[in-house]
Amino acid sequence: VETTLREIGLLEDVGSLLSWDQEVNLPAHGTEARAAQIAFITAEAHRRLTDPRFISLVRELLDAKDSSEEQRVNLALVLEDADRAAKLPTDFVSAQAELQSKGYAAWEEAKPRGDFAAVAPILAELIAMARREAEYVGFSGSQYNALLHSYEPYARIEDVLPVLLDLASSLAPRIAALPVQGADAAPLGFQLTVDQQRILCRKVIERIGFDFESGMLSESAHPFAETCGPHDQRLTVTFRESDPLDALYSGLHEAGHGLYEQGLRRDFHRQPLGTSVSLGWHESQSRFWENIVGRSEPFCAFLLQEMRTLFPGVDGLPLDAGPLWRNRNCITPGLIRIQADEVTYNLHIAIRTLIEVELVEGTLAVSDLPSRWEDLYQRYLGVAPRGHHEGVLQDPHWYCGLIGYFPTYTLGNLYSAMLWDKLKVEHTGVEGDIESGDFLPILSWLRNSVHAHGRRHRPLELCKVATGADFSSTAFLNYIDQKLGRLGTVS
Ligand SMILES: [Zn+2]
């Protein structure tokens, strides 16, 4: 059992490395062979996990008297994963992995041209495969639940969608009450070259605790984080000349994912006790560092000080943190999810989730996706994309088969606000720590409260364990109201 688990872990690391390399380095003509390589590695891991001899050995070990409590928890989850994986034929898993890799490559090529027609056929195939996956593994209620389970285990869309839509209705009047703002309502007033952005991003990520001896930062078309080994955490960002701090905030987000992975138990690497509990919890970590810490007033004060030290020659840095904080909290309905503020962000997620469910349940055809997208953006955010590159093609998720992923972003926002409430009670000086750039108390707290558990608890159980409260939107709405209140009164 130990040997097989080790081999599966090695194969998964290699698969991740191949995906990371595809998004960061791969030449255009390498995509075909890369898809085949990923498919092969995925099939090898699947074959080992679903080998009947392995499964029966795991069962035996689970019943063995000398297994520790920790081993039993771990093995029970291995068995759960293996039983689910065994419902999928290896040929299917391999074909799906190959199509997902090809889909990413097709998206990467189509996005700059805004050419949705070029990727529509592969998207239709990916959705058909996702539906087949659901048929294989089985589901109760919506077919979408089978897919959601891969990202937020045990969650049901019948429960999640009302949370997202209720949140959207609660946020809508708050957004409508805001003063109408132009894109330059709170301009930054300074520029950073791409080299300076790179230096700042690395420096700040290191400062919050990311270990660059066990990780690295590079560039890709869309920011992401990938685990390629127990001491090999890859982060990527995208640099944009037009916003000197955009890459830093993507970097904080991805570093939040990376810190979670670096905080997991390495003695259980790629095994349940050494993996994240869910994507929603993963997003709670990334959104925590990006938003709750990163868009706070004390963090902006720290950041300004950091930029003054790093770039004494840069003109236009503000005299105090106020303008920086206002700029990072400019709440305006927009088109691009990853550039959205903390409030309207959740509307982007509600829209995507509605669409995903319709695509999977078969009530929306891929050919009607752009018009549905435009209708929903008009209805929820009052904006219309000028092309597919800022519409249906802006995110890679669907085109690389991540279908069922989107709701986890808002779940992450809700978890992160609950964590923040609990942290403030346990560490009353946390805001002072942020301002002085001492992030270790926060990281240690997250390590103990979230990272150390791996997958020991189910997502909603971890909520209770880590925050002491039942999952709800209340903490997030209070957090938003406090921020809106400060934005309204502080100049
Ligand atoms: Zn993320």
Side-chain angles (χ1 to χ4, degrees), residues 380-422:
Y380 279 92
L381 288 152
V383 293
R386 287 157 297 184
H388 295 315
H389 65 287
E390 53 184 29
V392 288
L393 286 176
Q394 67 176 270
D395 291 320
H397 302 57
W398 293 333
Y399 309 95
C400 61
L402 298 175
I403 299 162
Y405 185 128
F406 275 121
T408 69
Y409 287 105
T410 286
L411 297 179
N413 288 339
L414 304 182
Y415 292 138
S416 70
M418 295 180 76
L419 288 171
W420 179 236
D421 276 355
K422 181 74 171 168

Side-chain angles (χ1 to χ4, degrees), residues 307-323:
M307 288 194 292
R308 283 207 190 104
T309 311
L310 285 171
F311 315 122
V314 167
D315 289 333
L317 287 176
L319 295 174
D320 64 64

Side-chain angles (χ1 to χ4, degrees), residues 308-373:
R308 283 207 190 104
T309 311
L310 285 171
F311 315 122
V314 167
D315 289 333
L317 287 176
L319 295 174
D320 64 64
L324 195 58
W325 177 68
R326 287 197 163 275
N327 175 276
R328 290 298 103 184
N329 288 285
C330 201
I331 293 156
T332 311
L335 287 162
I336 309 296
R337 175 184 65 89
I338 64 169
Q339 291 160 16
D341 60 80
E342 289 169 280
V343 182
T344 60
Y345 186 94
N346 300 290
L347 305 184
H348 292 263
I349 298 307
I351 292 170
R352 282 160 179 73
T353 306
L354 281 169
I355 289 177
E356 274 189 351
V357 174
E358 291 167 1
L359 286 170
V360 171
E361 290 183 346
T363 54
L364 176 66
V366 165
S367 53
D368 297 329
L369 174 52
S371 61
R372 180 73 174 135
W373 182 281

Side-chain angles (χ1 to χ4, degrees), residues 84 88 92 96 99-100 122-139 143-148 150-151 356 359-361 398 401-404:
R84 181 181 162 89
L88 297 162
F92 172 81
Q96 191 179 36
L99 192 67
Q100 289 171 346
I122 206 162
L123 178 59
E125 259 186 276
L126 282 162
I127 288 161
M129 279 197 122
R131 290 165 58 94
R132 273 177 64 204
E133 180 187 335
E135 296 293 340
Y136 278 130
V137 298
F139 53 89
Q143 203 164 4
Y144 183 85
N145 287 333
L147 307 171
L148 183 59
S150 306
Y151 306 100
E356 274 189 351
L359 286 170
V360 171
E361 290 183 346
W398 293 333
L402 298 175
I403 299 162

Side-chain angles (χ1 to χ4, degrees), residues 253-254 257 283 286 405 409:
H253 179 100
E254 301 309 336
H257 287 304
E283 292 303 331
S286 55
Y405 185 128
Y409 287 105

Side-chain angles (χ1 to χ4, degrees), residues 397-469:
H397 302 57
W398 293 333
Y399 309 95
C400 61
L402 298 175
I403 299 162
Y405 185 128
F406 275 121
T408 69
Y409 287 105
T410 286
L411 297 179
N413 288 339
L414 304 182
Y415 292 138
S416 70
M418 295 180 76
L419 288 171
W420 179 236
D421 276 355
K422 181 74 171 168
L423 173 61
K424 279 188 299 180
V425 170
E426 295 191 1
H427 280 282
T428 43
V430 64
E431 283 166 325
D433 287 343
I434 294 174
E435 183 158 356
S436 60
D438 182 10
F439 299 101
L440 192 62
I442 299 181
L443 182 57
S444 305
W445 188 83
L446 291 173
R447 292 251 194 269
N448 289 328
S449 309
V450 179
H451 307 179
H453 298 295
R455 266 174 67 194
R456 174 181 282 272
H457 306 291
R458 291 185 175 198
L460 293 181
E461 286 166 13
L462 180 61
C463 189
K464 189 86 188 174
V465 169
T467 72

